[in-house]
């Protein structure tokens, strides 16, 4: 575990921060950050279509998230103000309470082949069950390299969608090791289509992975001492109680749950983007999991442990994260992110990301039931307006202070304040 002195980190310049985290970085990664080396345009053009160039976003760090007794520095890529600060604040409090305890339930992907126009769906299901071993061999022969790596297809199940035209769905479980596995799963399921058509005497509709990765569930838990919520014991307990009520609100009301979960994904997405992971897939799986009980719910649960005076938090969601494959090896910033994380494997990365989600939720709920988030946000909004109005770095704090005094804060007001400020110092 590399030790970094984090003292005063937030108040330093990016250059000073870079030298502070130097022990975490390889020479190449240090060079990438020092010289702001970005994704090469030629590589970008090979990755996607119709490229005009590349697009940059702030690359930040959340220090000291303690997961399973190890402290991690976590790279965040986000354009949203206060996400990094909120997670850092929560991580600090949770670390003092013993950190996060995180468990991986399983780590397999699910591929689906849907078949239709089957005369006898029941006997088709029985035939598939009997031929399971042969079908798994066909799947594994389609992607032998993942089998060599210790992974591959492990099981096959079927279920029926009994509609006007019934659909027989064949689900294949695949261990994709360090990859997210979209291409591995799609190759295997495609390879199964002809045999399944013969076995079922039906037609295949499609073969594709499912992003509802219920075989890649991860749980993170924390137990926050009341004394870290407020010095005053009564106020601390009241705050804990309000966080529990906020969690109930999100469990019972989809309007609230949507915003509750958005806050969780503020952190999860930021790490997914930094590590080159497919954040759309992670979001899709997370939102589907949030709806597993028939209505859309908040992904976290907060409870009181009155005996030990602790606030207990828990999150469970599908996190089939990758450390290999996709664009991970192509983007120099992603390689820096993995250096900062000290090269975790896919399962460890998932435990860190689940913990980030819980930390982000704690910070959001604490702020919401306490002072509300608008005060802090208005300051950040004023900052954005000051920058948009064209303020120089040395002018920003004056313009922000002046804007905060205004009744209606907008770009026109920011421009007017900047103009009169510049006029006044002439
Ligand atoms: P890749 O196709 O890049 O596959 C990963 C490859 O990495 C493996 O095939 C393997 O190749 C290699 N590899 C090296 N080391 C390891 C290791 N230790 N464990 C596993 N594989 C290893 O990526 P994915 O299949 O993961 O697909 C991810 C991409 O697919 C993402 O970019 C995603 O956006 C995209 N996608 C997502 C979809 C979705 O619905 N979510 C749908 C379609 C695409 P080898 O063994 O041959 O060396």
């Amino acid at each position: 575990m590399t030790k970094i002195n984090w003292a005063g980190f937030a108040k330093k310049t990016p250059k000073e921060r870079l030298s502070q985290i130097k022990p975490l970085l390889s020479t190449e990664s240090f060079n990438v950050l020092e010289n702001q080396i970005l994704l090469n345009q030629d590589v970008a053009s090979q990755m996607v279509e119709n490229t005009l160039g590349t697009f940059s976003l702030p690359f930040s760090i959340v220090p000291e998230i303690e997961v399973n007794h190890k402290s991690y520095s976590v790279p965040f890529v986000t354009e949203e103000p206060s996400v990094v600060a909120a997670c850092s604040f929560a991580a600090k409090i949770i670390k003092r309470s013993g950190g996060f305890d995180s468990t991986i339930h399983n780590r397999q992907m699910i591929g689906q082949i849907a078949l239709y126009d089957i005369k006898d769906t029941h006997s088709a299901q029985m035939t598939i069950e009997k031929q399971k071993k042969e079908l798994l061999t066909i799947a594994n022969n389609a992607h032998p390299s993942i089998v060599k790596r210790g992974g591959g297809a492990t099981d096959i199940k079927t279920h029926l969608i009994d509609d006007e035209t019934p659909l027989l769905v064949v689900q294949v479980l695949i261990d994709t090791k360090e990859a997210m596995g979209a291409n591995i799963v799609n190759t295997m399921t495609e390879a199964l289509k002809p045999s399944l058509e013969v076995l079922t005497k039906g037609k295949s509709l499609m073969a594709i992975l499912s992003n509802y990765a219920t075989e890649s569930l991860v749980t993170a838990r924390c137990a926050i001492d009341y004394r870290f919520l407020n010095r005053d014991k009564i106020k601390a307990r009241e705050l804990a109680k309000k966080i529990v009520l906020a969690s109930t609100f999100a469990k019972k009301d989809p309007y609230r749950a949507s915003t509750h979960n958005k806050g969780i994904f503020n952190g999860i997405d930021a790490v997914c983007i930094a590590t080159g992971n497919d954040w759309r897939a992670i979001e899709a799986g997370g939102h589907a999991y949030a709806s597993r009980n028939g209505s859309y719910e908040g992904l976290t649960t907060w409870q009181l442990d009155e005996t030990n005076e602790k606030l207990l938090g828990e999150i469970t969601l599908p996190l089939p994260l990758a450390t290999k494959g996709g664009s991970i090896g192509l983007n120099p910033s992603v390689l820096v992110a993995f250096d900062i994380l000290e090269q975790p494997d896919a399962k460890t990365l998932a435990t860190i990301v689940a913990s980030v989600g819980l930390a982000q939720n704690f910070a959001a709920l604490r702020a919401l039931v306490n002072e509300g988030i608008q005060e802090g946000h208005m300051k950040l909004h004023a900052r954005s307006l000051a920058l948009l109005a064209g303020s120089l770095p040395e002018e920003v704090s004056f313009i922000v202070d002046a804007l905060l005094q205004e009744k209606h804060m907008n770009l026109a007001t920011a421009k007017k304040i900047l103009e009169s400020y510049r006029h006044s110092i002439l």
Side-chain angles (χ1 to χ4, degrees):
M1 201 184 308
T2 311
K3 273 253 171 239
I4 303 284
N5 173 14
W6 293 104
F9 191 73
K11 299 219 158 57
K12 300 215 157 133
T13 64
K15 209 171 165 192
E16 289 166 336
R17 287 187 200 123
L18 182 55
S19 76
Q20 215 167 333
I21 64 153
K22 199 171 177 184
L24 283 174
L25 304 171
S26 63
T27 315
E28 292 84 357
S29 290
F30 186 80
N31 184 37
V32 166
L33 288 175
E34 189 177 39
N35 298 305
Q36 292 294 295
I37 297 168
L38 299 172
L39 178 64
N40 178 294
Q41 286 218 25
D42 294 336
V43 177
S45 296
Q46 298 299 320
M47 285 166 73
V48 301
E49 311 74 34
N50 294 359
T51 54
L52 298 172
T54 53
F55 183 100
S56 54
L57 283 170
F59 187 143
S60 307
I61 193 165
V62 172
E64 300 191 283
I65 299 194
E66 190 166 307
V67 184
N68 297 337
H69 309 294
K70 185 173 171 186
S71 188
Y72 295 92
S73 311
V74 183
F76 266 48
V77 171
T78 180
E79 85 298 347
E80 186 169 334
S82 83
V83 168
V84 173
C87 193
S88 306
F89 167 80
K92 213 181 261 179
I93 291 187
I94 294 166
K95 185 178 172 149
R96 284 160 78 194
S97 298
F100 294 94
D101 176 20
S102 183
T103 327
I104 301 279
H105 300 263
N106 197 352
R107 215 286 183 182
Q108 302 217 44
M109 294 303 288
I110 299 168
Q112 296 189 303
I113 305 115
L115 299 137
Y116 68 103
D117 280 356
I118 299 171
K119 283 213 174 77
D120 184 347
T121 48
H122 180 67
S123 84
Q125 280 180 288
M126 305 266 281
T127 312
I128 291 169
E129 182 62 33
K130 269 193 222 141
Q131 294 290 312
K132 197 187 268 188
K133 208 169 150 206
E134 290 73 11
L135 290 167
L136 287 173
T137 304
I138 293 169
N140 283 326
N141 285 344
H143 212 298
S145 62
I146 198 66
V147 181
K148 270 199 204 127
R149 292 184 188 282
T154 58
D155 200 4
I156 292 183
K157 290 174 184 165
T158 60
H159 66 265
L160 205 60
I161 298 176
D162 208 2
D163 209 16
E164 200 176 322
T165 302
L167 288 172
L168 176 62
V169 182
V170 180
Q171 295 208 158
V172 191
L173 257 65
I174 303 165
D175 179 353
T176 58
K177 303 311 272 181
E178 291 296 305
M180 182 263 221
N183 293 315
I184 300 168
V185 173
N186 295 344
T187 304
M188 288 189 175
T189 50
E190 282 286 345
L192 284 169
K193 270 179 14 181
S195 310
L196 287 171
E197 286 185 330
V198 171
L199 287 177
T200 62
K201 300 189 187 68
K203 297 176 195 154
S204 63
L205 180 67
M206 66 169 78
I208 180 93
L209 101 158
S210 167
N211 286 301
Y212 188 28
T214 50
E215 297 298 328
S216 292
L217 293 180
V218 186
T219 295
R221 292 189 184 89
C222 63
I224 305 171
D225 287 349
Y226 285 176
R227 67 198 157 104
F228 297 133
L229 297 175
N230 197 303
R231 279 203 197 110
D232 179 317
K233 266 191 154 189
I234 295 171
K235 284 188 183 151
R237 195 200 166 273
E238 183 64 14
L239 179 58
K241 181 182 157 187
K242 287 201 279 184
I243 289 175
V244 171
L245 283 174
S247 127
T248 308
F249 184 14
K251 287 275 181 226
K252 307 277 179 197
D253 181 342
Y255 287 91
R256 172 61 206 144
S258 155
T259 317
H260 181 98
N261 290 343
K262 188 272 179 187
I264 293 169
F265 282 106
N266 274 342
I268 290 181
D269 285 356
V271 190
C272 287
I273 298 171
T275 55
N277 270 281
D278 182 342
W279 76 95
R280 289 87 55 203
I282 297 298
E283 283 249 4
H287 295 302
Y289 192 71
S291 311
R292 70 195 177 284
N293 295 324
S295 76
Y296 187 82
E297 295 176 2
L299 285 165
T300 56
T301 307
W302 293 93
Q303 287 171 306
L304 299 182
D305 173 358
E306 296 280 33
T307 317
N308 299 303
E309 301 193 337
K310 285 179 198 286
L311 171 66
L312 309 179
E314 182 175 324
I315 186 169
T316 299
L317 78 166
L319 284 174
L321 294 169
T323 63
K324 297 280 187 301
S327 68
I328 288 171
L330 303 175
N331 191 331
S333 304
V334 169
L335 300 178
V336 174
F338 276 102
D339 260 2
I340 291 173
L341 285 161
E342 301 188 61
Q343 309 298 340
D345 60 15
K347 289 181 179 171
T348 308
L349 181 59
T351 62
I352 299 168
V353 172
S355 304
V356 162
L358 189 55
Q360 207 76 55
N361 182 245
F362 167 68
L365 295 186
R366 186 192 164 280
L368 279 169
V369 301
N370 228 354
E371 71 276 6
I373 59 165
Q374 206 45 18
E375 198 182 305
H377 269 242
M378 285 319 278
K379 214 176 217 172
L380 293 162
H381 181 50
R383 210 179 153 72
S384 302
L385 289 175
L387 289 169
L388 276 173
S391 309
L392 298 170
E394 61 275 20
E395 295 169 327
V396 169
S397 64
F398 178 87
I399 309 300
V400 167
D401 287 345
L403 264 173
L404 288 169
Q405 307 296 321
E406 293 287 332
K407 208 167 171 196
H408 300 293
M409 207 198 281
N410 60 19
L411 186 57
T413 322
K415 282 184 176 164
K416 220 190 280 165
I417 294 171
L418 180 63
E419 203 180 291
S420 69
Y421 172 72
R422 285 181 177 166
H423 196 72
S424 72
I425 57 167
L426 278 180

